[in-house]
Amino acid sequence: TTINTPLGITAVASGQTSITVTCAACTATTHVVAVIRNATSNNVGIRAVIPGSGSFVVHVTGDPGASTAIIGVQITQPGSGT
């Protein structure tokens, strides 16, 4: 998945517990807020969001089961207001 806007949507598929999202403007100091937007077969939550150079990784607390966890994200750069 690629998100190069301040708001976006990604997903953690059945059988997975994380997703790496490409983000050209992301650095280790980028702030990323993530929320799960749907009910899943297995109850999951956001465990961590880890930004890095050119991407960030969203980790959930477990396998979403037979469904996919749809995740909304907000990306901001410290000091830039966006």
Side-chain angles (χ1 to χ4, degrees):
T1 301
T2 298
I3 299 175
N4 287 317
T5 57
L7 299 172
I9 296 176
T10 190
V12 174
S14 175
Q16 303 297 310
T17 58
S18 66
I19 180 118
T20 299
V21 179
T22 301
C23 173
C26 285
T27 68
T29 61
T30 299
H31 296 197
V32 182
V33 177
V35 294
I36 294 179
R37 298 179 48 164
N38 65 313
T40 56
S41 299
N42 296 338
N43 190 22
V44 297
I46 300 296
R47 187 179 79 200
V49 180
I50 302 172
S53 179
S55 67
F56 59 91
V57 181
V58 178
H59 296 274
V60 295
T61 56
D63 175 0
S67 56
T68 296
I70 306 300
I71 301 169
V73 296
Q74 180 180 11
I75 302 165
T76 57
Q77 302 299 336
S80 71
T82 59

